[in-house]
Structures are given as C-alpha cells and as structure tokens.
Amino acid sequence: MLGVALGAAARLGAQQIRPYQPAFDVSDYTIAIDVPDTGSFIRARATISVARTQPSDTLTLDLLDLDVREVSVDGRPVKFDRRPETILVPLPRKAARAEYRVDVVYEGMVKDGLIARSDSAGRWTYFGDNWPNRARHWIPSIDHPSDKATVTWRVTASPSKTVVANGKLVSSKGVRVGGVDRQETIWRESKRIPVYLMVIAVAPLVQVDLGDTACGLAEAQRCVAQDVYVAPEQRGGMPGPFSRAGEMVQLFASIVAPFPYEKLSHLQSSTRFGGMENASAIFYADAPFRTNSVNEGTIAHETAHQWFGDAVTERDWPHLWLSEGFATYFAGLWTRAARGDSAFRVQMDRVRATILADTIAVTKRPVIDTIETNLLALLNRNSYEKGGFFLHMLRSQVGERAFFDALRAYYAKHRHATAVTDDLRAEMEAASKQDLGWFFDQWLRRPGYPEISATWEYDSTAHEVVVGVTQAARFGAFKFPLTVAVVDSAGTAHRATQQILAVGEGAQRIRIPSPTKPMRVTLDPDVALLARLTLVEQ
Ligand SMILES: [Zn+2]
C-alpha cells in the first residue's frame, strides 16, 4: 500500500498482536454477509475449512467487537468460548492432519475492517480495509499473513449498490429477503491470499471497462480483464490515470510471470491508505479521484503488489519489505519502461534522498525489524524506500541476468504461498553463484548506510585523478563498489569502479585515468549506491 494516514498508528498501537500458532491451516473461507442499506449493522456466516497440522483440541479464531450467535463444527453446534478478541472452538478428536468445517454465525455493529460510511453525496458505502490485522473486526479468521486461503464472498445488499470483491464474479441475482428486494452477488478467489487482502466493496459505483490487457500473460485465462469502479460523478474523468494500467500489467508480467489472479479491478474507495493492494481488487483513496490527482506511480506500486505481497506474501511482519520494497522498486521499473533511464535515475535519487532524510526508522532499526510490535509503524522508510533501493543494489551486485532469473525463480517457488528474506537470498545465490549472506546482512539486518566523504587530487605524473574515500563510524563500516566519474579539460568523461572495503580506519584510494586535471569529479554517477556522499572540493 501507499500513504498511511497519520494518527492511525496511535489508534492501533496498543492492540495486542496474538502470535501465530501454526497448529492450524485454513484452506478456504466462505463468507455470506448481509450488508445493510444504511448504518453499520452486519449479519454474517463464515464457513472455514481448516486442517489441524499439530496436536491441539481447540481452534482459536480472531474476532473482535461482534456477537457470535452460533458455532458449529462439521455441522454440529459446539459450546464455544467467546473471549474479547477471539473465539475458542473445541474440536472433536480425529486423526492427525484432520480437516474440519467450522461455521460461525455472527452479527453486530462493525467498527473497523469493513468501513461503513456515507460519502460526500450522503450515499452509504462499505469498503473492506484490513491491513495489517483489522480483518478480525469483521471476519472470524486466522488473521496472520502466514495463513493464506481461498475465499468465496456471498454478499446480500441493496440492488442499488455495486458489489465487487476478490476473484471472479460467479453470479449476481435478485432475491427476496423478508419481503424486500435484495441482490445476492457471489465472487470467488480461487488462489490463496492472506486475510488482510480479503475485501468487498458495496457502494453506488459505476464500472469503466479497461478491456482485456496483457493477453498471453495471464495465469488464469488468456488475457487480464481490467476495469475501474468510481462514484457516478467521477465517470467522466476515466480512464484518465488508469489509461496505462494495461501496459503496467504487461510489463510486470513480462518481467516476472503471468498475472496471478482472475481479473484486476481498481476502485475508488474509503481506504485509509493512499492505495491498498487487495488481491485482484485494488482500493484507492477517495480524495485524489475528487481532485483529479490519482498518481500513476501509485497505480504501478499497487499493481506490482499483485505479484509481490499478494501472490508471494511475507510469512511474517519483519519481512514486510518483501512486499513494500518490491512494490517501490517495480514502480521505478515502470518509470524506466515508460519514461526512460534518466527518469528512472531521478526516481532512484529521490528514493535515496528520502532514506537519507529519515530519522525515525532508517537510522535506528534494520529493514528486517524483529522488535517492532506496532505493525503500522512498519510502514516506514525501511520497508519501502530502503527495501526498494536494496533491490536496486542487489541487481548491480549479481548482474542483470542473474537478478531477474532469480526473481522469477523466487516468484515461481513461493507463488500463492509465503516467503521470508532468506528464500530470496537462496535464489539470488543460486543464480549468481555468489555467497550473499554478508550483502543481505549488511543492508537488511543493520540500521543505516555508509557515510562517505571523499577528497581528490590530480597526479600529473601518472595522469590520474586520485580519490581518497573515508567512511564515517556512525553505522559501522560497509563493503560496496563505488564508481567515480571525471570529466577532463577536453570534456571527455572517464570513470572507474572499485570495491571499498569494510574498514573503518583511514582512506581508501580510487584512481581514475585522466590526461588532464579534471573539470568535474562525480561520486556514484549512476545512483547505484545507498550512501551519504560528500565530496570535499579543494
Ligand atoms: Zn505498498
């Protein structure tokens, strides 16, 4: 996602995060939900297919706020224990790796997760907004990214509203409920996704068809059907910023692998984030639609998440960069494809400047942060910009071919499943035949970045520019290649790249051949290195 609303972190900060207990594995949720015409009172039944993977006689489901009316296991009502944040469901004895069907009937005023509110025109709208662990406000679930499952949505709502959810539209038909006309809409996501991406939209939206895109590059069928859903008064401005959505899917599919889901919808919504990458149904913040300022970079970022974050999901929160760092970098790759190398360099320079300006996360915590318990605080410059710049440096470290081969292998191995950072490292090592433990540790398991100051002088006997490089001690010494470019008095450019060793003491020298004293010396001309670079002119 992009652009977390401030204040949200404080609100959720105190919430208890229950560590995931992998004694159970949910394979499917079927959620039948009755969404009202106005207000926030929902009625629902969740049918959960779950396998027991380790000995345990109780299934713990996350659910806040709502009243649980009935729980049954394999069709038989059971005496469940309703706790403030969970439901404890007793399970009958069965063999190891037994499978159960658990039904939970529940209702109440939904407070979060499904955002019920009236829009600026006074129309009631309902949008799921689960990240990171707010699905438990409306979906009884194992609400942890490690447990991915398929989901069927059976939504009953006013016929005046449009219902969109994950996956493929199965059916939509009028039904009579208590003498009232209602519409029942069924969507089915047949690929396993984490609970934080399971959403519905129930709102007076109009559909703008973007047509078939990325033909030949879809996993489920030949092309990827794309559309945009907006409030009726926004229809005139469409497809607007979404006019290149097809090219984005085409690009990422050709770099990585076929698009993983049944369709790709883009929705104007009430998400608190700038954009939220819900699998096959991206939700965007409402305000930019109303000011015609939906950003193409946001669309590229959320679209890239369909592969990284959605199809390959971080197994636990400290590895969030596998989602956000990838989306950040792939938005850069979109810029490169759409607007060229110099625009890409400008973007990476901006990413680097953002990292260097940060005093909250980058200077204090490593990217893989195993200490932070406030999940919203993980939406920081480490997970996004530093993770993205890490991929940029990794690409230089292993080379273009190995980098993209390894990305494809990593994706193929963990698609519709989960991964941790070492899974990526293993593929990069296999493709490059390099030991990369030091590289991943240096950039992802330590805070900060190199702080380099350099001086130069011209050796007129050897006809060389001699650059002396020293590292500041603040974050310890790093090992990295540094490129220096010079322009001689005739205007000709020369450059040299040298490994700078991880030694704290003394200057290391880089020699660049130059027939004359240079007019200009530039450190890291390609924006390839995450470092604070200071050239002391003399
Ligand atoms: Zn993101």
Side-chain angles (χ1 to χ4, degrees):
M1 88 253 10
L2 268 179
V4 62
L6 292 174
R11 205 153 6 110
L12 274 188
Q15 188 182 304
Q16 190 72 37
I17 309 301
R18 188 170 62 88
Y20 176 49
Q21 295 150 355
F24 295 94
D25 176 19
V26 176
S27 61
D28 183 72
Y29 294 92
T30 296
I31 300 161
I33 181 168
D34 191 295
V35 176
D37 294 356
T38 61
S40 63
F41 191 90
I42 60 165
R43 282 194 179 87
R45 169 189 287 265
T47 302
I48 302 164
S49 302
V50 61
R52 184 170 57 194
T53 55
Q54 282 172 38
S56 175
D57 58 7
T58 307
L59 169 68
T60 304
L61 293 172
D62 298 301
L63 185 71
L64 304 174
D65 313 329
L66 305 174
D67 295 326
V68 178
R69 291 284 171 236
E70 184 190 318
V71 176
S72 57
V73 176
D74 297 333
R76 288 191 198 87
V78 295
K79 268 182 98 116
F80 59 93
D81 184 359
R82 181 70 171 119
R83 302 276 176 92
E85 298 187 343
T86 55
I87 313 165
L88 306 187
V89 181
L91 297 175
R93 277 181 195 282
K94 282 190 190 178
R97 182 101 210 157
E99 299 197 0
Y100 301 91
R101 201 195 78 199
V102 178
D103 279 271
V104 180
V105 178
Y106 60 106
E107 63 183 32
M109 305 280 264
V110 67
K111 293 180 182 159
D112 198 359
L114 182 67
I115 310 300
R117 73 168 194 196
S118 58
D119 69 10
S120 55
R123 301 165 300 208
W124 276 87
T125 67
Y126 303 83
F127 289 99
D129 194 37
N130 295 337
W131 202 93
N133 58 349
R134 290 147 63 223
R136 65 189 66 190
H137 286 277
W138 65 297
I139 306 173
S141 55
I142 294 182
D143 188 10
H144 191 275
S146 59
D147 194 343
K148 298 176 78 170
T150 54
V151 58
T152 298
W153 290 104
R154 183 185 294 267
V155 181
T156 306
S158 161
S160 67
K161 294 195 169 82
T162 303
V163 175
V164 185
N166 312 99
K168 183 184 169 67
L169 179 63
V170 176
S171 66
S172 182
K173 64 171 195 240
V175 290
R176 294 280 290 176
V177 181
V180 179
D181 279 330
R182 307 280 281 161
Q183 191 80 14
E184 184 196 74
T185 311
I186 300 175
W187 289 84
R188 165 79 180 158
E189 178 51 74
S190 65
K191 306 293 168 60
R192 288 187 176 222
I193 60 174
V195 175
Y196 74 79
L197 297 175
M198 294 179 183
V199 292
I200 59 171
V202 181
L205 299 169
V206 294
Q207 181 187 24
V208 180
D209 196 353
L210 296 176
D212 280 346
T213 63
C215 288
L217 291 167
E219 190 177 298
Q221 58 281 309
R222 206 177 72 77
C223 304
V224 180
Q226 283 202 73
D227 47 24
V228 186
Y229 289 89
V230 289
E233 60 273 21
Q234 246 71 58
R235 190 180 188 322
M238 292 299 122
F242 295 93
S243 53
R244 303 192 76 175
E247 288 173 75
M248 290 176 189
V249 171
Q250 174 103 25
L251 175 72
F252 300 149
S254 61
I255 292 175
V256 186
F259 180 77
Y261 300 110
E262 295 86 347
K263 57 101 172 47
L264 183 58
S265 296
H266 305 266
L267 291 90
Q268 179 180 2
S269 81
S270 56
T271 176
R272 68 165 55 158
F273 305 107
M276 180 60 216
E277 66 269 20
N278 305 311
S280 78
I282 299 170
F283 285 15
Y284 297 86
D286 180 75
F289 283 83
R290 301 192 180 277
T291 52
N292 287 323
S293 56
V294 175
N295 185 304
E296 194 182 278
T298 305
I299 301 170
H301 177 107
E302 306 307 338
T303 300
H305 269 309
Q306 303 297 307
W307 286 263
F308 297 107
D310 295 8
V312 178
T313 304
E314 62 282 358
R315 196 170 303 145
D316 209 346
W317 298 114
H319 301 273
L320 179 62
W321 82 273
L322 292 173
S323 178
E324 298 303 346
F326 272 75
T328 301
Y329 193 53
F330 273 68
L333 296 181
W334 163 251
T335 297
R336 187 178 64 155
R339 289 198 289 284
D341 281 339
S342 68
F344 174 62
R345 269 199 303 279
V346 167
Q347 186 158 334
M348 292 314 295
D349 193 39
R350 208 160 47 220
V351 168
R352 180 170 64 185
T354 304
I355 299 167
L356 298 180
D358 183 68
T359 55
I360 296 166
V362 176
T363 55
K364 298 189 172 76
R365 297 285 184 83
V367 171
I368 300 171
D369 187 341
T370 54
I371 291 169
E372 184 59 69
T373 54
N374 176 0
L375 300 179
L376 280 159
L378 291 173
L379 300 182
N380 59 31
R381 303 306 186 195
N382 273 330
S383 302
Y384 286 73
E385 284 84 359
K386 193 176 174 188
F389 211 98
F390 169 78
L391 290 172
H392 186 51
M393 291 190 289
L394 181 58
R395 184 174 147 204
S396 301
Q397 176 68 30
V398 301
E400 191 83 0
R401 175 95 187 258
F403 179 75
F404 287 107
D405 282 352
L407 276 193
R408 284 186 281 272
Y410 163 77
Y411 180 83
K413 193 172 282 183
H414 304 288
R415 179 183 65 130
H416 306 314
T418 61
V420 294
T421 304
D422 277 346
D423 295 320
L424 179 68
R425 181 171 61 83
E427 297 304 329
M428 289 288 162
E429 290 186 333
S432 68
K433 302 186 170 56
Q434 292 182 33
D435 172 10
L436 295 167
W438 69 272
F439 187 87
F440 277 68
D441 286 351
Q442 166 177 291
W443 295 110
L444 300 179
R445 296 184 192 274
R446 279 167 55 182
Y449 39 77
E451 293 184 305
I452 301 159
S453 63
T455 58
W456 66 270
E457 56 190 18
Y458 185 62
D459 180 340
S460 55
T461 317
H463 297 287
E464 286 175 337
V465 181
V466 183
V467 177
V469 177
T470 42
Q471 295 196 49
R474 177 153 75 133
F475 301 118
F478 286 71
K479 176 180 158 187
F480 51 87
L482 178 62
T483 299
V484 181
V486 304
V487 177
D488 67 24
S489 59
T492 307
H494 310 270
R495 59 163 60 195
T497 302
Q498 185 168 314
Q499 275 299 325
I500 301 299
L501 303 176
V503 291
E505 301 283 303
Q508 301 179 57
R509 291 198 157 65
I510 305 176
R511 292 173 174 273
I512 307 101
S514 177
T516 65
K517 186 173 178 191
M519 297 193 298
R520 197 166 65 240
V521 176
T522 310
L523 303 176
D524 188 32
D526 304 327
V527 196
L529 177 68
L530 174 57
R532 192 183 299 284
L533 299 156
T534 310
L535 183 64
V536 182
E537 293 287 350
Q538 41 209 269

